[in-house]
Amino acid sequence: MPGIPCPRSGHAPERAVVDPIGAHRAGGTRRKPPQPTKASRLAGRLAPLGRRLRPAYPRPGRAGWRRWLPSWRQWLGALALSIGLSGSLLVIAYAATDIPQNLNTYATQQDNVYFWADGTPMARTGWVRRQAMPLKDIPPDVRSAVLAAENESFYSDPGISAKGITRALVRTVGQGDTQGGSTITQQYVKNVYLNQNRSVSRKFTEAMISLKLDNKMSKDKILEGYLNTSWFGRGTYGLQRASQAYYGKDVSRLNASEGAFLASLLKGAGLYDPTLSTANHKRAVERWSWILDRMVKTGKLSASERATYTKFPEPLKQGRAFDTGKQSDYLVELATQYAKKSGHISDRDFDLGGYQIYTTFDRKREKALTDTVTTARAKAKKDDPDSAKNAHYGAASIATDGRILAVYGGPDHRTQGYNESNATTVPAGSAFLPFVYAAGLEHGVHKTREGPATPVTPASVYDGNDGVPVSTPEGPYWDRSGKKVAAHNDGNKDYGQVTLRQALASSVNTPFMQLGMDTGLDKLRATAEASGLLSSSIGPQVPTLSLGNSTPSAIRMANSYATFAADGTHTEPYSVRRITRNGYRVTLDTPAPHRAMRAEVAREVTEALSDSFRTAHPGAAPATAQVAGKKGTTQDDKAAWYVGTNRSVSTAVVLYRIDLSKSLEPLPLEGIAGTPETDVPYGIWSGAMSPLR
């Protein structure tokens, strides 16, 4: 191509040479060509790899069906891709899965267990038989037995078993169920967070939660939760209730052999409860032995100790349900009321359960009292069925330190929903006289309104004749109808001039009606309340207050007489001595004793009551016995009492009649209380307090 003439020189120009770099260095005007991007460079590098990985079908160099098979590189690539995708999905699933905030209600609900004073179980309440216990209270050998049976790598695994999950998934897909392979963490998650549905999705969710829980919760807390929520058969959840159901004792008293048997139940209580069938027994023995051997293998049990466990620890033939029923319902009712009030437990918390309530009830005394009343009821029905059908019996035994030892609340709480021992239905009658005597001895009497009190002694003399008018410092006491108020003795009997101690021993009413007026009805009321009677049960502050118009319960009468036996020191009655919840102590308000009257006053009353007992029942107790008691009757024959003490125990018995279908008004006893020789309340009292020592 010819050059273009140069306008200045006239010479033909040289051919243009394209030298971008030179031109750039020389300050030329040529533009720099565009540089390749990172993406284009990466694509360039991957292009050969893509050509190698891109399947070529049919594959060259192969014949027949082999032309269509992927190469080993392609297989490897596909495997790597699937692993990568699976891992990504698991990471996403793990991040997206949260540990549920709320546990299953059924997994947290427990029963409340009540114990006798000797520590043996008495009753339980609640639908779920579960009692949670701290891990520290479960013996190490028992824990080790569970780990050997269920998950020996528990303390080192991440919360799941990949091998076990794979096996479970295969069974789920192939056979429609899930079985085996779950770690203790997974089983705990299933117990408290998930339902029992058997599906792949539930198994997957279980694994994700288990992984997270294992990172957030200590192994000990997981194990504790598992042991407290697992099913052990016989209607029980958790090791504590299982121990009681199969061996009748607290879990803390189990040994390695017993723990190994209970651990075998986790595989299926229906298959391993040896009391259900011969086949079950054989399976239970084999698994029990296998678990003990595994404990040796894992170093949790020495070979020498294993050698001592050669005999299978046979469980109880029937689990002890300790369900409430009949008489025990009244005990549970009293203990529950006291536990809630003195333990400051709300109804909601109590209903959630988990409380161990250790009562003051004496099992032997309760049986003696119940048997005696039952016998009396049966005899009354036989002798006079018409009168006996409306008869009601209430009784209570209380220690001088306030402990309620036994009560009789009625024949069956399920048919009679109120407690006769705690009912304030009928007047105390002449059983109230000791409080009048105590008030007079404690405060003295007033002959004039403003004058000083004159001391009263057991030897003070009063008119014991029937119908003696009651007087005040100003003269006779008149009722609203304008009649003089007078007291009457049983049978309108005259006793003449008698000492107060003689009057109490012989149950002479008239001296005590006058003594109450002389002492002051306000002081009489205060003495009765200080001794233990409730203010709400004390009758109107009129002269008949001294003759027992108050309507105390059997529990309160027994408690008040216990004040006399305790040298004038009173302690409010209580039915619960200790409360724990899942093994931890609950703060309980315990009543403190207080001085109700001077000790010498209480001793004088007790001595007079001892005279009363021996006068009415000579020879009923040895001369050395510290027995004191008093019969209680009412003028209208609508109640019969016997209240008395034997050393440090006080018992009160009341008998009355009410036709509940008509009214709550007491009816005449019509002879069912017996005669002086066959006094029914005394017979019950004697049976409950026997032997008298």
Side-chain angles (χ1 to χ4, degrees):
M1 173 177 181
I4 301 173
C6 180
R8 291 188 178 181
S9 63
H11 297 290
E14 296 181 358
R15 186 177 299 276
V17 178
V18 179
D19 183 4
I21 298 177
H24 177 71
R25 277 187 259 182
T29 60
R30 293 179 182 269
R31 291 184 178 180
K32 182 179 179 180
Q35 299 296 314
T37 64
K38 290 183 179 180
S40 62
R41 288 198 299 270
L42 180 61
R45 293 191 186 103
L46 293 178
L49 178 61
R51 287 192 294 272
R52 289 196 299 271
L53 292 177
R54 186 172 62 247
Y57 292 101
R59 292 178 62 193
R62 298 288 187 275
W65 57 270
R66 290 184 178 83
R67 293 183 302 162
W68 301 97
L69 289 178
S71 67
W72 67 269
R73 292 185 181 88
Q74 291 168 336
W75 280 115
L76 186 61
L79 178 61
L81 182 61
S82 64
I83 291 175
L85 289 175
S86 298
S88 299
L89 290 175
L90 288 174
V91 171
I92 294 172
Y94 179 85
T97 302
D98 292 324
I99 299 175
Q101 295 299 311
N102 298 319
L103 278 66
N104 295 334
T105 302
Y106 200 70
T108 56
Q109 187 178 358
Q110 303 178 60
D111 56 0
N112 295 316
V113 181
Y114 298 76
F115 297 87
W116 292 102
D118 62 5
T120 57
M122 180 185 77
R124 70 171 186 85
T125 59
W127 293 103
V128 178
R129 298 181 190 176
R130 177 188 289 112
Q131 283 281 298
M133 292 295 285
L135 191 65
K136 64 180 178 63
D137 292 339
I138 300 174
D141 282 347
V142 178
R143 290 181 251 162
S144 297
V146 172
L147 294 178
E150 294 294 306
N151 185 189
E152 64 183 39
S153 64
F154 169 72
Y155 277 98
S156 60
D157 66 38
I160 65 171
S161 168
K163 182 179 179 181
I165 291 176
T166 301
R167 182 168 66 249
L169 290 176
V170 169
R171 289 187 62 86
T172 302
V173 175
Q175 300 181 26
D177 69 340
T178 57
Q179 181 176 333
S182 294
T183 64
I184 281 178
T185 305
Q186 289 174 263
Q187 293 180 57
Y188 174 63
V189 167
K190 180 177 67 175
N191 288 345
V192 302
Y193 294 120
L194 305 175
N195 55 43
Q196 302 299 314
N197 294 339
R198 297 179 172 183
S199 64
V200 174
S201 62
R202 201 230 67 198
K203 197 71 181 177
F204 183 78
T205 303
E206 172 191 298
M208 292 298 101
I209 296 177
S210 298
L211 284 170
K212 277 202 167 182
L213 194 69
D214 192 78
N215 287 329
K216 291 188 176 182
M217 186 182 291
S218 71
K219 288 286 190 179
D220 280 350
K221 293 303 291 184
I222 293 173
L223 180 60
E224 178 182 292
Y226 171 72
L227 295 177
N228 285 322
T229 57
S230 294
W231 165 257
F232 285 87
R234 296 192 180 183
T236 64
Y237 290 84
L239 263 176
Q240 170 70 351
R241 292 295 282 122
S243 178
Q244 294 170 349
Y246 288 93
Y247 290 109
K249 58 185 176 182
D250 191 87
V251 66
S252 63
R253 297 167 54 200
L254 293 176
N255 59 33
S257 178
E258 294 163 336
F261 163 68
L262 293 181
S264 71
L265 296 171
L266 292 166
K267 192 172 179 66
L271 295 174
Y272 291 91
D273 185 340
T275 64
L276 299 180
S277 68
T278 303
N280 270 26
H281 193 281
K282 181 180 179 181
R283 278 191 292 265
V285 172
E286 290 175 351
R287 186 155 179 81
W288 162 79
S289 181
W290 177 84
I291 291 172
L292 289 175
D293 290 340
R294 291 293 299 173
M295 292 176 68
V296 174
K297 184 177 180 180
T298 57
K300 300 301 182 182
L301 188 69
S302 67
S304 59
E305 187 176 2
R306 170 65 179 93
T308 64
Y309 298 130
T310 57
K311 185 178 179 181
F312 179 67
E314 299 286 351
L316 299 171
K317 294 297 181 182
Q318 293 182 346
R320 296 184 181 179
F322 306 116
D323 292 318
T324 61
K326 296 189 176 181
Q327 195 57 217
S328 62
D329 278 339
Y330 299 105
L331 306 181
V332 168
E333 179 185 61
L334 284 174
T336 299
Q337 292 171 351
Y338 188 85
K340 288 181 179 179
K341 180 179 180 181
S342 298
H344 306 285
I345 303 171
S346 68
D347 290 340
R348 178 183 178 277
D349 286 344
F350 199 82
D351 289 342
L352 286 176
Y355 291 95
Q356 298 85 41
I357 301 160
Y358 297 87
T359 72
T360 60
F361 303 127
D362 185 305
R363 181 164 50 175
K364 293 180 180 179
R365 287 189 177 275
E366 180 63 35
K367 185 178 186 305
L369 179 59
T370 301
D371 289 349
T372 305
V373 176
T374 301
T375 300
R377 294 180 70 97
K379 186 177 185 304
K381 288 181 180 180
K382 180 180 178 180
D383 295 342
D384 189 350
D386 290 338
S387 297
K389 68 180 180 181
N390 295 319
H392 296 265
Y393 301 73
S397 293
I398 296 182
T400 52
D401 60 4
R403 290 175 294 124
I404 302 177
L405 303 177
V407 301
Y408 182 85
D412 190 332
H413 193 277
R414 289 169 289 195
T415 58
Q416 178 182 291
Y418 65 93
N419 190 335
E420 296 281 12
S421 70
N422 207 27
T424 56
T425 307
V426 293
S430 55
F432 189 84
L433 298 184
F435 302 107
V436 186
Y437 187 39
L441 295 175
E442 180 75 12
H443 300 287
V445 298
H446 292 270
K447 298 300 183 181
T448 61
R449 287 291 181 190
E450 305 300 331
T454 302
V456 170
T457 70
S460 296
V461 177
Y462 273 77
D463 189 343
N465 289 324
D466 183 66
V468 175
V470 177
S471 64
T472 68
E474 291 80 20
Y477 185 93
W478 304 83
D479 64 15
R480 292 184 179 181
S481 64
K483 294 181 179 180
K484 292 181 180 180
V485 175
H488 294 277
N489 298 321
D490 287 345
N492 301 115
K493 185 177 179 180
D494 291 330
Y495 290 87
Q497 297 295 304
V498 294
T499 65
L500 290 176
R501 180 164 175 169
Q502 291 173 336
L504 185 60
S506 301
S507 195
V508 184
N509 292 335
T510 52
F512 290 102
M513 195 168 189
Q514 184 59 55
L515 177 63
M517 296 298 292
D518 292 344
T519 302
L521 296 179
D522 56 335
K523 292 182 175 59
L524 170 56
R525 182 186 186 95
T527 299
E529 289 185 21
S531 299
L533 296 190
L534 295 177
S535 175
S536 59
S537 70
I538 295 180
Q541 203 160 292
V542 294
T544 52
L545 175 64
S546 299
L547 298 187
N549 64 6
S550 301
T551 56
S553 67
I555 288 178
R556 286 290 171 173
M557 281 296 279
N559 180 237
S560 297
Y561 270 53
T563 301
F564 301 137
D567 287 342
T569 298
H570 172 69
T571 305
E572 281 289 285
Y574 64 99
S575 56
V576 178
R577 57 187 174 83
R578 183 164 64 96
I579 302 176
T580 60
R581 191 178 196 186
N582 300 335
Y584 295 96
R585 193 77 174 255
V586 175
T587 301
L588 182 67
D589 294 338
T590 303
H594 72 267
R595 175 62 59 187
M597 62 191 72
R598 299 194 312 274
E600 56 269 27
V601 170
R603 294 191 194 106
E604 292 288 358
V605 175
T606 300
E607 289 178 6
L609 289 173
S610 182
D611 291 346
S612 175
F613 173 82
R614 296 188 185 281
T615 299
H617 308 283
T624 57
Q626 299 178 15
V627 186
K630 175 96 178 61
K631 180 179 180 178
T633 58
T634 59
Q635 291 183 352
D636 51 12
D637 189 37
K638 292 184 179 180
W641 290 80
Y642 198 88
V643 190
T645 60
N646 180 17
R647 293 183 182 271
S648 61
V649 177
S650 174
T651 296
V653 179
V654 61
L655 169 59
Y656 59 97
R657 292 179 64 240
I658 289 181
D659 186 348
L660 294 175
S661 64
K662 295 181 179 179
S663 73
L664 295 178
E665 181 64 28
L667 303 172
L669 289 172
E670 297 183 351
I672 66 169
T675 64
E677 294 75 23
T678 60
D679 183 54
V680 174
Y682 169 75
I684 295 173
W685 180 90
S686 179
M689 300 289 277
S690 183
L692 299 176
R693 292 178 294 175

